[in-house]
Amino acid sequence: MQIAQLIVQTREGEIKAIPLQSLVLRIGRNPECDLQLNNGMVSRAHAEVRLGLRGATLTDLGSSNGTFIGDQRLLPNQPHLLADGTSFRIGAYQLTYWISAAKPQEADELALPIPDLLPLPPEGVTMRVQAAVPEAASPVLRAVEDRRASLYTRFLPDIYQENDFLQRFLHIFEDIWEPLEQRQDHISLYFDPRTCPLAFLPWLASWLDIPLNPHWPEARQRHLLTQAMELYSWRGTSYGLARLIEICTGLTTEIVEKPNEPFVFHIRISLSSATDGEAVDRAFIEELIQTHKPAHAGYILEVLP
């Protein structure tokens, strides 16, 4: 039998193994979490590792400082499939997802000491684990299923509970329907611009009558749709116009209304404030201003290098 565990390593070199004894392992600073990481960079409910049909997935739960795989920060509430040996970082902790073979006498306990799984590295040597491509059916999932009956047998009379063939037969339907039920349980993620698939963004934008430039970075498109309702509530004001330009162009925008020039917006934009190095067309900025400024107001646009 193969079991899964998390190898937790701190910057001080302390290493411990956390076996995945349940289908969900919650990680955070809160003492109620299954794995408590007591560090100021860790949120109260930071992330979770969930065992599913395809294997183990890592999900950031909207943490303040993020969950990182290498230099990539995971999008909040978006599951990421973990391969055997994948390492990820939460605050000052380095965690490695590790699948190992359990000894027969220890398989039922699922509490293995570290020397039986992975020798401690010498001082000054960083522990590295070769990542493997996950199999079509995760060995972790098979190990979990070997220890439990099919979820569907609870609806059958007791006489069928211990039938091995029936257990395996029902697992066929469970493997088909459970992913669909899980998708239905998390259907709200498909209607949130922060977590929906990239192809859904134009569809969500059509609900709010917001044209999306397909050449924009994905992060900018998601940010615009996330802020859309707030932008609409401030539409027609200098604040709303400045926020819209900042979100659509990534440029710092300053709008001044002078007492001696009523109904005129003095708009100052600095091109040096661009963060992604993307060239911004002046005509596009003026189109945004004319579309979202009050109809009775004029404007003076100043673009600084």
Side-chain angles (χ1 to χ4, degrees):
M1 178 186 294
Q2 290 181 311
I3 65 170
Q5 57 184 339
L6 288 180
I7 307 298
V8 184
Q9 183 176 13
T10 64
R11 290 179 180 174
E12 292 76 17
E14 179 183 356
I15 302 176
K16 63 179 179 179
I18 307 297
L20 300 180
Q21 297 180 343
S22 60
L23 296 181
V24 180
L25 178 74
R26 294 176 176 84
I27 306 172
R29 198 171 72 250
N30 194 320
E32 296 180 354
C33 292
D34 303 310
L35 174 56
Q36 183 186 10
L37 301 180
N38 192 11
N39 184 272
M41 297 291 291
V42 181
S43 299
R44 292 174 57 85
H46 197 104
E48 71 175 21
V49 176
R50 181 181 296 268
L51 298 180
L53 292 174
R54 295 186 302 163
T57 57
L58 171 66
T59 304
D60 182 272
L61 301 178
S63 61
S64 301
N65 297 300
T67 304
F68 294 84
I69 295 182
D71 295 330
Q72 177 187 1
R73 178 170 180 170
L74 300 184
L75 294 175
N77 303 310
Q78 192 157 337
H80 181 90
L81 187 64
L82 294 176
D84 183 15
T86 301
S87 294
F88 56 95
R89 178 166 49 86
I90 294 179
Y93 297 87
Q94 188 78 13
L95 298 92
T96 301
Y97 173 68
W98 175 255
I99 301 175
S100 63
K103 294 181 179 180
Q105 64 272 21
E106 295 172 333
D108 294 333
E109 299 178 2
L110 292 183
L112 304 178
I114 295 177
D116 291 337
L117 297 175
L118 189 67
L120 294 177
E123 293 187 4
V125 177
T126 303
M127 180 179 61
R128 296 184 180 276
V129 182
Q130 177 95 22
V133 178
E135 302 175 6
S138 170
V140 179
L141 179 63
R142 292 298 119 199
V144 173
E145 290 180 346
D146 288 343
R147 301 195 311 273
R148 65 171 175 83
S150 171
L151 296 176
Y152 295 164
T153 57
R154 66 179 183 269
F155 301 108
L156 300 178
D158 292 341
I159 192 174
Y160 298 109
Q161 299 292 330
E162 303 299 329
N163 188 291
D164 179 67
F165 171 78
L166 186 58
Q167 296 287 342
R168 291 183 283 112
F169 181 74
L170 289 177
H171 272 306
I172 297 174
F173 298 97
E174 186 177 337
D175 289 351
I176 295 174
W177 290 109
E178 285 302 310
L180 300 179
E181 292 186 7
Q182 185 179 16
R183 181 181 300 177
Q184 182 177 346
D185 292 340
H186 298 86
I187 193 65
S188 59
L189 297 178
Y190 289 84
F191 299 96
D192 190 330
R194 297 169 297 179
T195 57
C196 71
L198 179 60
F200 276 47
L201 293 179
W203 178 58
L204 292 179
S206 66
W207 290 16
L208 304 172
D209 194 26
I210 296 179
L212 283 184
N213 188 334
H215 302 292
W216 282 356
E218 178 184 346
R220 182 180 299 177
Q221 298 183 40
R222 293 184 183 275
H223 187 46
L224 174 59
L225 292 179
T226 302
Q227 301 293 324
M229 296 307 298
E230 180 186 0
L231 291 174
Y232 275 132
S233 66
W234 288 99
R235 189 170 185 178
T237 66
S238 59
Y239 171 79
L241 183 59
R243 282 289 296 146
L244 179 69
I245 296 174
E246 289 178 359
I247 292 175
C248 292
T249 64
L251 301 174
T252 302
T253 304
E254 180 184 0
I255 298 181
V256 178
E257 299 180 75
K258 298 181 180 180
N260 59 342
E261 293 182 291
F263 312 116
V264 176
F265 289 165
H266 292 261
I267 305 173
R268 184 180 296 111
I269 299 177
S270 175
L271 296 180
S272 61
S273 61
T275 57
D276 51 14
E278 180 184 356
V280 180
D281 187 6
R282 182 188 178 99
F284 172 66
I285 298 177
E286 295 203 6
E287 180 182 354
L288 288 175
I289 297 173
Q290 294 174 5
T291 303
H292 295 277
K293 73 175 182 61
H296 64 279
Y299 70 93
I300 298 175
L301 176 61
E302 182 181 2
V303 179
L304 304 177

